[in-house]
């Protein structure tokens, strides 16, 4: 086998390896999240459900987020999105619950976003869906399971609890809003949400995502590229060495 063919094969292998190494962390990080992921007890907080499209052939056309029934929100409002229809589903609770001194038997139990024709989240895109929730119950954390539907019929269920994901990292994690509990070190997606002045109408802007995650990913990719280039140079050096008789 000639030295040129050896170098060519080395280059192809290294390129594929780098591409795979870069793609894995990008795909693994793309899931439905709630930002910021922390809120103060008793507050009326604006949060954003960030919905990335992970399909290479289909568009996201629906998202349904389930709200808690044991510690319900009495106020749920949404920010309109052009091209999307938002529905707040109200249902009878399994059992009456006392909230802020009032006993309630009915509350919002889910929020459904549905895209109009041609308005879905396409490949390489994401959509922010803002809602105001309150009062935030005085609990450790709130699980907000989300089901994402594509126009080809594929469904992604982001419903696994943190404990389930810790036991099986192949499961798709549900968005979690942390109240009294501290979020895991790798889930600091935003600072505390601020209370709204008008509990029924005002929505505050959600804090931006933590930039450290992006910096870490960028450094990892740079390290992979440098390592690949070093390997290529080494292969070229070996190929240019004169062969012994």
């Amino acid at each position: 086998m000639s030295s040129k063919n050896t170098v060519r094969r080395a280059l192809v292998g290294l390129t594929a390896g780098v591409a795979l190494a870069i793609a894995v962390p990008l795909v693994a990080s793309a899931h439905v999240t709630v930002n910021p992921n922390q809120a103060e007890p008793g507050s009326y907080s604006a949060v954003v459900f960030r919905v990335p499209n992970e399909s290479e052939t289909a568009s996201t056309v629906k998202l349904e987020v389930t709200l808690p029934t044991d510690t319900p929100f009495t106020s749920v409002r949404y920010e309109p999105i052009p091209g999307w229809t938002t529905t707040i589903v109200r249902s009878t609770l399994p059992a009456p619950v006392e909230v802020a001194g009032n006993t309630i038997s009915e509350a919002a139990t889910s929020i459904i976003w549905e895209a109009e024709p041609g308005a879905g989240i396409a490949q390489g895109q994401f959509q922010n869906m803002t809602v105001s929730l309150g009062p935030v119950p005085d609990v450790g954390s709130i699980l907000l399971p989300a089901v994402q539907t594509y126009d080809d019929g594929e469904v992604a269920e982001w419903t696994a609890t943190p404990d389930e994901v810790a036991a099986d990292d192949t499961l798709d994690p549900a968005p979690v809003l942390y109240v009294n509990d501290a979020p895991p070190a790798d889930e600091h997606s935003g600072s505390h949400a601020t209370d709204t002045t008008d509990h029924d109408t005002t929505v505050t802007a959600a804090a931006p995502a933590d930039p450290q995650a992006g910096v870490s990913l960028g450094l990892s990719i740079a390290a992979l590229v440098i390592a690949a280039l070093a390997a290529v140079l080494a292969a070229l050096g070996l190929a240019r060495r004169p062969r012994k008789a």
Side-chain angles (χ1 to χ4, degrees):
M1 183 183 296
S2 68
S3 60
K4 288 185 179 180
N5 288 334
T6 301
V7 173
R8 186 180 298 110
R9 291 190 177 187
L11 288 172
V12 171
L14 287 169
T15 302
V18 171
L20 179 62
I22 292 174
V24 168
L26 288 177
V27 172
S29 64
H31 55 267
V32 177
T33 59
V34 60
N35 304 279
N37 64 351
Q38 292 178 273
E40 296 289 345
S43 66
Y44 287 71
S45 298
V47 297
V48 174
F49 289 97
R50 188 162 298 158
V51 186
N53 188 83
E54 294 186 303
S55 175
E56 296 182 356
T57 58
S59 297
T60 296
V61 293
K62 181 180 179 181
L63 180 76
E64 181 171 1
V65 173
T66 300
L67 303 176
T69 56
D70 54 345
T71 55
F73 299 105
T74 58
S75 175
V76 177
R77 295 178 179 273
Y78 65 89
E79 184 175 61
I81 303 174
W84 288 73
T85 299
T86 306
T87 304
I88 297 176
V89 179
R90 298 183 63 86
S91 306
T92 301
L93 300 176
V97 178
E98 185 172 328
V99 178
N102 299 314
T103 300
I104 62 172
S105 57
E106 182 182 280
T109 53
S110 67
I111 309 173
I112 302 174
W113 289 269
E114 294 181 279
E116 298 173 1
I121 308 169
Q123 179 184 2
Q125 298 179 348
F126 72 91
Q127 178 70 55
N128 284 332
M129 300 173 174
T130 304
V131 296
S132 174
L133 305 173
V136 174
D138 191 4
V139 295
S141 61
I142 304 169
L143 195 73
L144 299 167
V147 176
Q148 180 179 11
T149 303
Y150 292 87
D151 59 9
D152 63 355
E154 181 183 354
V155 175
E157 298 185 357
W158 307 96
T159 57
T161 67
D163 289 341
E164 291 172 338
V165 174
D168 183 357
D169 60 7
T170 64
L171 298 176
D172 293 331
V176 179
L177 183 64
Y178 293 89
V179 185
N180 293 316
D181 293 345
D186 60 345
E187 289 191 16
H188 286 284
S189 61
S191 60
H192 285 280
T194 55
D195 194 4
T196 57
T197 303
D198 183 335
H199 288 173
D200 287 331
T201 59
T202 305
V203 176
T204 57
D210 187 354
Q212 293 183 354
V215 173
S216 299
L217 179 59
L219 291 176
S220 299
I221 293 174
L224 287 170
V225 173
I226 292 173
L229 290 175
V232 171
L233 292 175
L236 290 173
L238 289 173
R240 290 176 179 176
R241 285 185 179 181
R243 294 184 180 182
K244 295 182 178 180

